[in-house]
Amino acid sequence: MKRFYFLLLIFLPVFSFADEIKGFVFTREEGGKQPLPGVNIYWEGTTQGTASVDDGSFRIQQKDGQHMLVFSFVGYKQQVVRVESAGALEVLMEPNVELEEVTVIRKDRGTYLSVINPIQTESISGAELHKAACCNLAESFETNPSVDMSYSDAVTGAKQIKLLGLDGTYSLMQVENMPNLRGLATTFGLTYIPGPWMESIQVSKGAASVLNGYDAIAGQINAELKKPDSNEKLFLNAFGNMEGRYEFNANGNIRLIGDTLTTGIFVHANQLMTKNDHNHDGFLDIPMSQMYQISNRWKYNNHKGLMLQTGFTYLQEDRLGGQTGVDWDMTPSLSNPYGVSIDTKRLEAFLKGGYVTPNGKNAIAWLSNFSRHETESFYGVTDYTGDETRLFSSAIYTKYMGQLEEHTLNVGGSYIYDDFNEQLYSNAIQRTEKVPGLFAEYTFKPHENLTLMTGIRTDFHNIFGTFVTPRMHFRYRFAEHFTVRANAGKGYRTANVLSENTYLLASSRALQYTNDVMQEEAWNYGFSLIQNYMLLGRDLTLNAEFFRTDFKTQLVIDRETSADYVILAPLDGTSYANSLQFDVRWQPIERLDLLLAYRVNDIKQTIGGELRDKPLQSDYKGLINLNYTTNLKKWMFDYTLQFNGGGRIPYVYEEWMSRVDMSSDFGHFKPYTIMNAQVTKYFRYWSIYLGAENLTDFTQANPVAGADNPFGSDFDATNIWGPVMGRKVYLGLRFNLNYE
């Protein structure tokens, strides 16, 4: 069987779509504009490039996430052009009359809404990731209007994200277009990807492409890591904050055979050993922890259509939270302080590649990844252990048809193997999922203003049987400044009842469940309108979008029916989520970027036979982000203001009746505001940054109920709706050395 896994990992393989960008390069002479052949043209941060021919024309493929096109020629000033659509470009190269080298660079805005992709997609570049501490993937969305980040509970430090108002489990988490951070990695997986390792992030809303699987209900988040063949030779990052958290990151690329065969080495370490209890409730505000990671990546590109990539990552993490008297060698006992200990070991490996025929009309791609995850933990006196072995593989054949390649057909198959072993309350739970699937997707793009993409896949699940996933996406630019999108699609998801909800063990109430696994099913519908203008000579982007998710089956967390149990049960009634968002992006003055956003959430579930607002969910979110960079990028200043609406706190009926006369606010939390700021000083090879999160020092009152008696019946650390940590001041240092 191990040999079978190994063969699958090697021979079953990622694919990314590409648009072709065309244009002309000119120079100015006495007779007017003249074509300029031989200009080097490449995507910033990559080695993917081309050169202009005799008439100054060029053609280059644009992949997802590529926006900055560099034009370079000896004797001329380098030009960096922001590419938003596949229309023809005209670039004028100016002679370089300076005595010293001059580089002309346009300020990178950091986040972009694509007007090319038929799926509503927001790209977050490396420039955006530098606006905050960004120690890991979970902390990368503090300046993002679409994704919310919060803590799951008050003792484990587990962080969760929400997209379209829905928990992160309903978003397909990917690393370089391969599913990841699932199963046992769900609760803490967002902290497993260090921020300095990431090159960019793509956030797609609504039903994703069928090529990516059947389980993107609310959308997908894809993290692109730094590539071994990038120009980054060495990168170092050190970080520390006033709470005693320290972190170190390093990565370096080695060119073994030019840019044909390259390798990259990544290391990460973080540690927090300080016992912080700022609210003096006897519980640590954030758990002590230590994590170590190492990764090695390889890339082969023969520049004739064949590309292969492979690598591995190993992670080890230990967390210890609970009362301030806990220690690392403590055993769970009623005579010891209440503690939460979580020890994790995780190994990942991947192999992906592709081949494009010389005429560019056909391509084949493959991807595969493997993970082995082991965890041992206890919550008070409750033990939970688990291990998971997961294998994913997919193969895709692409054919471009038509005289102008206006027709694209993708067909292929995928396979998932997922073996679970869990133990809770002395009950051993074992299951194995085997899911082969077939898919086809057709894209019609008669011209650059219209895209229609339809797809369907059929999967054959050994537990849930055969199910079909249809999806459709439509994009139309009906005027120069207007782009409209619409999408509809179905999604399925395997809900791992225990592993995804282990944070609920930080309560005196036991988990009550019938099945350890179930399948969730939902329809998602979306509509968006993007408008691009020039206001006072600067780009202005207006975006309006609405998404609705209707659940047919769903795992519901019921904290309100029973005073003795948290009930994990299938939906019995109606469940839906509506998300309406508006945002504005503009540069009112040179080098000052402004982002304004406002989102309204309407999320309801049937809980205990009654349709109610989903608990612990803010009714709305507002965001203001200001980013200013001085001339020549010597200093950068960033400020973010978040407005979070109020919401409902879950309560048991008897508890409500006992307190209803005491406080009219019981059962609800009020709106609150969070402020973050950072200033960065840039030097030639390094930069230093100083910042603060939660400047107003706002925290949720009494995040740990029954803190004075954690082994009693009133203890609960899971009703978290706001920050559990106050103001955090941090200082960091980055060093970067590139290949010449």
Side-chain angles (χ1 to χ4, degrees), residues 60-92:
I60 187 170
Q61 296 294 314
Q62 181 186 35
K63 299 179 181 178
D64 289 346
Q66 294 179 335
H67 297 287
M68 307 305 292
L69 198 57
V70 182
F71 295 78
S72 178
F73 193 59
V74 176
Y76 291 81
K77 297 179 181 179
Q78 178 175 292
Q79 303 285 349
V80 181
V81 177
R82 168 74 187 175
V83 179
E84 288 284 2
S85 65
L89 297 176
E90 285 195 9
V91 179
L92 183 65

Short mmCIF file of all heavy atoms in Angstrom, two decimals, residues 60-92:
data_model
loop_
_atom_site.label_atom_id
_atom_site.label_comp_id
_atom_site.label_asym_id
_atom_site.label_seq_id
_atom_site.Cartn_x
_atom_site.Cartn_y
_atom_site.Cartn_z
N ILE A 60 2.70 37.68 -24.89
CA ILE A 60 3.15 37.00 -23.68
C ILE A 60 1.93 36.49 -22.93
O ILE A 60 0.87 37.12 -22.90
CB ILE A 60 3.98 37.95 -22.77
CG1 ILE A 60 4.60 37.18 -21.59
CG2 ILE A 60 3.17 39.14 -22.30
CD1 ILE A 60 5.62 38.00 -20.81
N GLN A 61 2.05 35.30 -22.35
CA GLN A 61 0.96 34.69 -21.61
C GLN A 61 0.88 35.28 -20.20
O GLN A 61 1.90 35.44 -19.53
CB GLN A 61 1.15 33.17 -21.51
CG GLN A 61 1.10 32.44 -22.85
CD GLN A 61 -0.27 32.53 -23.49
OE1 GLN A 61 -1.28 32.31 -22.82
NE2 GLN A 61 -0.30 32.83 -24.78
N GLN A 62 -0.34 35.60 -19.78
CA GLN A 62 -0.58 36.13 -18.43
C GLN A 62 -1.29 35.08 -17.59
O GLN A 62 -2.40 34.66 -17.90
CB GLN A 62 -1.43 37.40 -18.48
CG GLN A 62 -1.69 38.00 -17.09
CD GLN A 62 -2.66 39.17 -17.14
OE1 GLN A 62 -3.59 39.16 -17.94
NE2 GLN A 62 -2.44 40.16 -16.28
N LYS A 63 -0.64 34.65 -16.52
CA LYS A 63 -1.23 33.68 -15.61
C LYS A 63 -1.92 34.40 -14.46
O LYS A 63 -1.72 35.60 -14.25
CB LYS A 63 -0.16 32.73 -15.06
CG LYS A 63 0.55 31.91 -16.14
CD LYS A 63 1.62 31.02 -15.52
CE LYS A 63 2.35 30.22 -16.59
NZ LYS A 63 3.42 29.37 -16.01
N ASP A 64 -2.74 33.67 -13.72
CA ASP A 64 -3.42 34.24 -12.56
C ASP A 64 -2.42 34.85 -11.60
O ASP A 64 -1.39 34.23 -11.28
CB ASP A 64 -4.23 33.18 -11.83
CG ASP A 64 -5.45 32.74 -12.61
OD1 ASP A 64 -5.79 33.45 -13.57
OD2 ASP A 64 -6.04 31.70 -12.26
N GLY A 65 -2.69 36.06 -11.14
CA GLY A 65 -1.82 36.71 -10.16
C GLY A 65 -0.72 37.54 -10.78
O GLY A 65 0.01 38.23 -10.08
N GLN A 66 -0.54 37.51 -12.13
CA GLN A 66 0.50 38.28 -12.79
C GLN A 66 -0.11 39.59 -13.31
O GLN A 66 -1.06 39.56 -14.11
CB GLN A 66 1.12 37.49 -13.94
CG GLN A 66 1.89 36.26 -13.48
CD GLN A 66 2.47 35.47 -14.63
OE1 GLN A 66 1.97 35.52 -15.75
NE2 GLN A 66 3.54 34.73 -14.37
N HIS A 67 0.43 40.72 -12.86
CA HIS A 67 -0.14 42.02 -13.24
C HIS A 67 0.93 43.03 -13.66
O HIS A 67 0.63 43.92 -14.44
CB HIS A 67 -0.96 42.60 -12.09
CG HIS A 67 -2.14 41.77 -11.71
ND1 HIS A 67 -3.27 41.70 -12.47
CD2 HIS A 67 -2.36 40.97 -10.64
CE1 HIS A 67 -4.15 40.90 -11.91
NE2 HIS A 67 -3.62 40.44 -10.80
N MET A 68 2.14 42.92 -13.13
CA MET A 68 3.16 43.94 -13.38
C MET A 68 4.10 43.46 -14.49
O MET A 68 4.85 42.50 -14.32
CB MET A 68 3.94 44.24 -12.11
CG MET A 68 3.05 44.59 -10.90
SD MET A 68 1.90 45.95 -11.21
CE MET A 68 3.01 47.33 -11.37
N LEU A 69 4.05 44.12 -15.66
CA LEU A 69 4.85 43.74 -16.83
C LEU A 69 6.02 44.71 -16.98
O LEU A 69 5.83 45.93 -17.04
CB LEU A 69 3.97 43.76 -18.09
CG LEU A 69 4.46 43.02 -19.32
CD1 LEU A 69 4.73 41.56 -19.00
CD2 LEU A 69 3.46 43.14 -20.45
N VAL A 70 7.23 44.16 -17.03
CA VAL A 70 8.46 44.96 -17.06
C VAL A 70 9.01 45.01 -18.48
O VAL A 70 9.11 43.98 -19.15
CB VAL A 70 9.52 44.37 -16.10
CG1 VAL A 70 10.77 45.23 -16.11
CG2 VAL A 70 8.95 44.26 -14.68
N PHE A 71 9.38 46.22 -18.94
CA PHE A 71 9.98 46.43 -20.25
C PHE A 71 11.39 46.99 -20.02
O PHE A 71 11.55 48.05 -19.41
CB PHE A 71 9.15 47.41 -21.08
CG PHE A 71 7.78 46.91 -21.43
CD1 PHE A 71 6.76 46.94 -20.48
CD2 PHE A 71 7.51 46.38 -22.68
CE1 PHE A 71 5.50 46.47 -20.79
CE2 PHE A 71 6.26 45.90 -23.00
CZ PHE A 71 5.24 45.94 -22.05
N SER A 72 12.40 46.30 -20.53
CA SER A 72 13.79 46.67 -20.27
C SER A 72 14.60 46.60 -21.55
O SER A 72 14.49 45.62 -22.32
CB SER A 72 14.39 45.73 -19.21
OG SER A 72 15.74 46.03 -18.98
N PHE A 73 15.40 47.64 -21.81
CA PHE A 73 16.24 47.67 -23.01
C PHE A 73 17.43 48.58 -22.74
O PHE A 73 17.28 49.66 -22.13
CB PHE A 73 15.43 48.18 -24.20
CG PHE A 73 16.10 47.95 -25.54
CD1 PHE A 73 16.42 46.66 -25.95
CD2 PHE A 73 16.38 49.01 -26.37
CE1 PHE A 73 17.02 46.45 -27.18
CE2 PHE A 73 16.99 48.81 -27.60
CZ PHE A 73 17.31 47.51 -28.01
N VAL A 74 18.60 48.14 -23.17
CA VAL A 74 19.82 48.91 -22.92
C VAL A 74 19.71 50.29 -23.55
O VAL A 74 19.34 50.44 -24.72
CB VAL A 74 21.05 48.17 -23.49
CG1 VAL A 74 22.31 49.02 -23.32
CG2 VAL A 74 21.22 46.83 -22.80
N GLY A 75 20.00 51.32 -22.75
CA GLY A 75 19.95 52.69 -23.23
C GLY A 75 18.61 53.37 -23.04
O GLY A 75 18.46 54.54 -23.39
N TYR A 76 17.65 52.61 -22.50
CA TYR A 76 16.31 53.16 -22.29
C TYR A 76 15.90 52.96 -20.84
O TYR A 76 16.35 52.03 -20.17
CB TYR A 76 15.29 52.50 -23.21
CG TYR A 76 15.48 52.86 -24.67
CD1 TYR A 76 16.44 52.21 -25.44
CD2 TYR A 76 14.70 53.86 -25.26
CE1 TYR A 76 16.62 52.53 -26.78
CE2 TYR A 76 14.88 54.19 -26.60
CZ TYR A 76 15.84 53.53 -27.35
OH TYR A 76 16.02 53.86 -28.67
N LYS A 77 15.00 53.82 -20.38
CA LYS A 77 14.49 53.69 -19.02
C LYS A 77 13.59 52.47 -18.91
O LYS A 77 12.77 52.21 -19.78
CB LYS A 77 13.70 54.94 -18.62
CG LYS A 77 14.51 56.22 -18.58
CD LYS A 77 13.64 57.40 -18.19
CE LYS A 77 14.44 58.70 -18.16
NZ LYS A 77 13.59 59.86 -17.81
N GLN A 78 13.78 51.73 -17.85
CA GLN A 78 12.91 50.57 -17.61
C GLN A 78 11.49 51.04 -17.30
O GLN A 78 11.28 51.99 -16.57
CB GLN A 78 13.44 49.75 -16.44
CG GLN A 78 12.59 48.54 -16.10
CD GLN A 78 13.21 47.69 -15.01
OE1 GLN A 78 14.23 47.05 -15.22
NE2 GLN A 78 12.60 47.70 -13.84
N GLN A 79 10.52 50.36 -17.89
CA GLN A 79 9.11 50.68 -17.66
C GLN A 79 8.42 49.50 -16.99
O GLN A 79 8.67 48.35 -17.36
CB GLN A 79 8.39 50.99 -18.99
CG GLN A 79 9.01 52.11 -19.80
CD GLN A 79 8.70 53.48 -19.21
OE1 GLN A 79 7.86 53.60 -18.34
NE2 GLN A 79 9.39 54.51 -19.70
N VAL A 80 7.58 49.80 -15.99
CA VAL A 80 6.77 48.78 -15.33
C VAL A 80 5.32 49.17 -15.53
O VAL A 80 4.89 50.23 -15.08
CB VAL A 80 7.10 48.66 -13.83
CG1 VAL A 80 6.25 47.57 -13.18
CG2 VAL A 80 8.58 48.35 -13.64
N VAL A 81 4.56 48.31 -16.21
CA VAL A 81 3.19 48.63 -16.60
C VAL A 81 2.23 47.70 -15.88
O VAL A 81 2.42 46.47 -15.86
CB VAL A 81 3.01 48.50 -18.13
CG1 VAL A 81 1.55 48.78 -18.51
CG2 VAL A 81 3.95 49.47 -18.83
N ARG A 82 1.20 48.28 -15.29
CA ARG A 82 0.14 47.49 -14.65
C ARG A 82 -0.83 47.01 -15.73
O ARG A 82 -1.40 47.80 -16.48
CB ARG A 82 -0.59 48.36 -13.63
CG ARG A 82 -1.89 47.77 -13.10
CD ARG A 82 -1.63 46.65 -12.16
NE ARG A 82 -2.86 45.99 -11.78
CZ ARG A 82 -2.92 44.91 -11.02
NH1 ARG A 82 -1.81 44.39 -10.56
NH2 ARG A 82 -4.06 44.36 -10.71
N VAL A 83 -1.02 45.67 -15.83
CA VAL A 83 -1.88 45.08 -16.85
C VAL A 83 -3.17 44.60 -16.19
O VAL A 83 -3.15 43.72 -15.34
CB VAL A 83 -1.18 43.91 -17.56
CG1 VAL A 83 -2.11 43.29 -18.60
CG2 VAL A 83 0.10 44.39 -18.21
N GLU A 84 -4.30 45.18 -16.58
CA GLU A 84 -5.59 44.82 -16.00
C GLU A 84 -6.43 43.96 -16.94
O GLU A 84 -7.29 43.22 -16.50
CB GLU A 84 -6.39 46.08 -15.63
CG GLU A 84 -5.85 46.82 -14.44
CD GLU A 84 -6.18 46.13 -13.13
OE1 GLU A 84 -6.81 45.07 -13.18
OE2 GLU A 84 -5.81 46.66 -12.08
N SER A 85 -6.22 44.08 -18.25
CA SER A 85 -7.04 43.34 -19.19
C SER A 85 -6.18 42.87 -20.34
O SER A 85 -5.00 43.21 -20.46
CB SER A 85 -8.19 44.22 -19.71
OG SER A 85 -7.67 45.30 -20.48
N ALA A 86 -6.79 42.03 -21.18
CA ALA A 86 -6.04 41.43 -22.28
C ALA A 86 -6.01 42.30 -23.53
O ALA A 86 -5.69 41.84 -24.61
CB ALA A 86 -6.65 40.06 -22.61
N GLY A 87 -6.38 43.58 -23.43
CA GLY A 87 -6.36 44.47 -24.58
C GLY A 87 -4.94 44.77 -25.03
O GLY A 87 -3.96 44.56 -24.30
N ALA A 88 -4.81 45.29 -26.26
CA ALA A 88 -3.49 45.59 -26.80
C ALA A 88 -2.85 46.74 -26.04
O ALA A 88 -3.50 47.74 -25.72
CB ALA A 88 -3.61 45.93 -28.28
N LEU A 89 -1.56 46.60 -25.76
CA LEU A 89 -0.79 47.63 -25.05
C LEU A 89 0.08 48.40 -26.03
O LEU A 89 0.55 47.85 -27.04
CB LEU A 89 0.10 47.00 -23.98
CG LEU A 89 -0.57 46.25 -22.83
CD1 LEU A 89 0.50 45.64 -21.95
CD2 LEU A 89 -1.45 47.18 -22.03
N GLU A 90 0.31 49.67 -25.75
CA GLU A 90 1.29 50.47 -26.46
C GLU A 90 2.23 51.06 -25.41
O GLU A 90 1.79 51.79 -24.53
CB GLU A 90 0.64 51.58 -27.28
CG GLU A 90 -0.03 51.08 -28.54
CD GLU A 90 -0.35 52.21 -29.50
OE1 GLU A 90 0.10 53.36 -29.25
OE2 GLU A 90 -1.04 51.95 -30.49
N VAL A 91 3.49 50.71 -25.50
CA VAL A 91 4.47 51.15 -24.51
C VAL A 91 5.53 52.00 -25.20
O VAL A 91 6.11 51.58 -26.21
CB VAL A 91 5.13 49.94 -23.81
CG1 VAL A 91 6.17 50.41 -22.81
CG2 VAL A 91 4.06 49.09 -23.13
N LEU A 92 5.75 53.18 -24.68
CA LEU A 92 6.74 54.09 -25.24
C LEU A 92 7.98 54.08 -24.36
O LEU A 92 7.92 54.41 -23.18
CB LEU A 92 6.16 55.51 -25.32
CG LEU A 92 7.08 56.57 -25.96
CD1 LEU A 92 7.32 56.25 -27.43
CD2 LEU A 92 6.46 57.96 -25.80
#
